[in-house]
Amino acid sequence: MTLREHWLSGHGPIQHRAETVERIDALVRRLAASGRLARADDAYAMLAAADRLSCAAMNVVAHMTYARRIDLNGAPLAAGDFKPNPEGHTGGSLNMVPAFVAYLLANALSGKTRGWLMGQGHCVAAIEAVNALTGDVSPAQRGRYDRSEAGLGRLITDFYSYAIDAQGLPAVPLGSHAGPNTAGAVSEGGYLGFAGLQYVHMPLPGESLVAFLSDGAFEEQRGSDWATRWWRAEDCGQAVPVMILNGRRIEQRTQIVQEGGAHWLAEDLRHNGFDPLIVDGRDPAAIAWAILEAEEALAASLAAPDFQYPARLPYVIAETEKGYGFPGAGTNAAHNLPLGGNPHTDSAARDAFNASAARLFVPGPELDAALAALANHRAQQRPLESRHPMAHRHPEAPALPEPAWEATGSQGSAMAALDRWFVELVRANPRLRVRIGNPDELASNKMGGTLALLKHRVDHPEAGVAEDQHGAVITALNEEAVAAAALANKGGLNLIVSYEAFAVKMLGLLRQEIIFARRQKELGQTPGWLSVPLVVTSHTWENAKNEQSHQDPTIGEALLGEMSDTSRVLFPVDGNSAAAALRAVYAQRAQVACLVVSKRDGAQRFDALAAQALVEQGAAHVAGDPKTSALQFVAIGAYQLEEALKARAHLARQGLECCVSVVLEPGRLRAPRDQLESAFVLSDETVHALFPPGLPRVLLCHTRPEPMLGVLRRLDDGPARTRALGYISRGGTLDVPGMLYANRCTWAHAVDAAAAVAGWRREDVLDAPRRQAIAGKGNPADLDYPS
């Protein structure tokens, strides 16, 4: 039997359609003619090896769901060999195996290691099974998981073991979704749809990426349709999406299948500028062919003399049925537990499992030969798949120019100051690819300089508008899609700018990045991408003219709930502190930092040295001295600082000395929740020096007061000594004083709160009309300051 005939015979459930055979034969001829293959037989040996690796890995996946052990001689398992409580996203994982093996096969055939991204992170069993068999595991898994019976047994029993260590962390290097212990993973994939938004922005020139996408997730994020708008050969590497079209979500058929299946999807993709390829998703050879064919077709189109953007990007549709190769395939049950019964207690389910495992079984010597055929990394002088470049980003440290500091007392927009500095940052770092995530209004948000320099990326620029085919500003009225452009560009320099109220739509995507990076840090890994700032402006207090939909501080509150060493939230109060804060963010790595910045003109409160010290420490005094003060106002936000200063001035006229302090980064003052956060927050000694225990205190918060009180628990001496004012979910079409009044956040409300915690008589600090206004019985205009 020739090696080609050996491959043609398939293995287990894997068979090769005539169309696939024809395509593969042509591919092998091209590879041999180009010199990338010494012999055609080498290709057919790899192709046959891929069939066997796929079957072996599918068998391991089934065991990960149901079994306690695996028999490498292929003997059937007994009732006691099965888990009492099986668990696993089995059908999708079974589908992912031939796709991931196809990726390995494409690399082996072409002599190039591509990156990979998996949108359906719950199919991690496929990746872990293949990695354990090939030996390309993460450092944490090395020595624990391998293709020995003991190593695969540990993989099987660790899967959904729910093991936990004494510190409350997972006790095994294996989870239900892709994680930092999954060799080569760059995303958890728990938030379906985001891989489809990110993949096109990931590879740098010269790199290639294969992105495995879900047909269910296709319904969730339509922004993936815009990939052709953003891809440019001049600053992007090749990116090949491979949709696993298995036709089912958890409980029913996907919308694609309901509409007409693969051919309906292909037509839809053509309308959006893609060049779709439909292949047999059950066959690793078919998918590998499609990956290589897609890359060659795109390269050929770029070389055409009449080429113009948008490029028709490849899109592989790997058509299969959910759970192919195992009982229950194509049913709703295939999503999780396809057998319909538990082999631990159900003899019929046990027989079905053993019969399927026997069909998938690959004898040890045959599997060893298959793995050797695909393990040609050293001969081809290419890295292992776990070392693909997207999994190990560490761009050069950026040059951080000195901001053009503004004079204290001057008036100006903090967003304009931030814009001026960011322009200088980009000019100082020409080798870093820039991506700006912009939902719509960069210029109106006072970042006109950035827009003029970098321009909206469009296919056909409009004359007289800040547009360019190679612009770095990714603009679409879809917050998740534009944020994905910045977060995916881990080899470059990024910025996201949004209205505060609408940034909350980015939260799932932001959290996906935060938790993956944080888990890497917990495991002692060192993610090296440059930190990504999210600047939220046109914010709750200055968006008073719009309705309450535009008045929402949720994004900062939510991000403060994450671990503050990785998820930072900062409230600059003027131009200098905004520029200093942004500069400090870019000096760090693997952080997502939300900066809440005012775009309206305001007073410059901090000089250059003070602004940098404020960012370094996270808090500072603005007026007065806590040692000689009867009360401390604590401002978190620019508008809140102005009201606090008014309240202090008013009380000073009453002969009452108060101080005003600013908290720029509340997360620096919180009670730490673990060792990593402990190293990030201020010590008790520093906190007490800034905020003396026992001193009556009024917090004026940009956010809702309750979440901020929780974060700043170390400043809170209880309701008798501490009050917090902030957004109480009231608004409408108002002006700024109206917003402050509606939410009981004016200077006068601050004075009233101060009287309550300091023990002063309200009548001594506020006159009757103001007391009536505060009580909601008078005229709000009586709170105008000064009177």
Side-chain angles (χ1 to χ4, degrees), residues 752 755-756 760-767 770-771 774-775:
D752 190 51
W760 303 325
R761 291 186 348 132
R762 297 177 72 235
E763 294 83 355
D764 293 339
V765 295
L766 289 170
D767 59 26
R770 286 166 172 160
R771 294 199 305 275
I774 288 172

Side-chain angles (χ1 to χ4, degrees), residues 181-366:
N181 281 324
T182 304
V186 297
S187 170
E188 180 193 299
Y191 291 85
L192 289 175
F194 290 146
L197 299 179
Q198 290 185 287
Y199 77 88
V200 75
H201 303 285
M202 285 186 168
L204 292 169
E207 297 173 351
S208 296
L209 170 73
V210 175
F212 301 105
L213 306 179
S214 156
D215 54 349
F218 181 81
E219 303 170 24
E220 188 158 342
Q221 292 294 346
R222 299 299 292 180
S224 63
D225 296 348
W226 299 331
T228 56
R229 298 186 188 182
W230 316 132
W231 192 87
R232 300 289 184 267
E234 290 77 5
D235 72 349
C236 300
Q238 287 207 333
V240 178
V242 177
M243 176 180 284
I244 311 301
L245 184 62
N246 62 29
R248 289 199 173 270
R249 307 192 209 102
I250 296 175
E251 293 182 343
Q252 66 170 143
R253 295 168 300 149
T254 60
Q255 196 64 33
I256 292 171
V257 169
Q258 292 181 47
E259 293 289 344
H263 292 283
W264 175 89
L265 174 61
E267 187 63 23
D268 181 77
L269 291 167
R270 288 188 190 96
H271 284 304
N272 285 288
F274 290 96
D275 185 15
L277 287 168
I278 301 174
V279 297
D280 181 3
R282 304 160 182 82
D283 185 348
I287 301 173
W289 172 86
I291 292 169
L292 299 179
E293 178 71 15
E295 291 180 348
E296 290 182 10
L298 179 58
S301 70
L302 294 172
D306 59 347
F307 170 78
Q308 58 181 317
Y309 287 110
R312 293 196 70 82
L313 295 184
Y315 201 110
V316 178
I317 303 170
E319 193 175 17
T320 184
E321 60 181 349
K322 196 156 194 175
Y324 177 76
F326 200 74
T331 68
N332 285 339
H335 175 76
N336 191 18
L337 301 173
L339 289 177
N342 185 351
H344 183 69
T345 56
D346 185 324
S347 61
R350 187 161 59 251
D351 290 343
F353 179 95
N354 283 326
S356 179
R359 190 177 182 211
L360 292 167
F361 176 69
V362 180
E366 198 172 341

Side-chain angles (χ1 to χ4, degrees), residues 431-449:
R431 290 185 294 180
L432 290 173
R433 181 176 69 176
V434 180
R435 287 291 182 268
I436 311 294
N438 172 45
D440 189 32
E441 298 194 45
L442 207 61
S444 74
N445 281 329
K446 299 291 183 74
M447 294 206 71

Side-chain angles (χ1 to χ4, degrees), residues 358-419:
R359 190 177 182 211
L360 292 167
F361 176 69
V362 180
E366 198 172 341
L367 178 59
D368 289 343
L371 292 166
L374 294 169
N376 57 8
H377 303 78
R378 183 173 298 178
Q380 295 176 336
Q381 297 184 320
R382 64 183 179 91
L384 293 169
E385 279 70 21
S386 63
R387 302 298 304 174
H388 72 83
M390 276 137 277
H392 302 277
R393 289 292 193 214
H394 199 284
E396 63 187 48
L400 301 172
E402 188 80 7
W405 304 108
E406 300 178 38
T408 55
S410 62
Q411 292 283 317
S413 163
M415 279 298 297
L418 188 150
D419 177 51

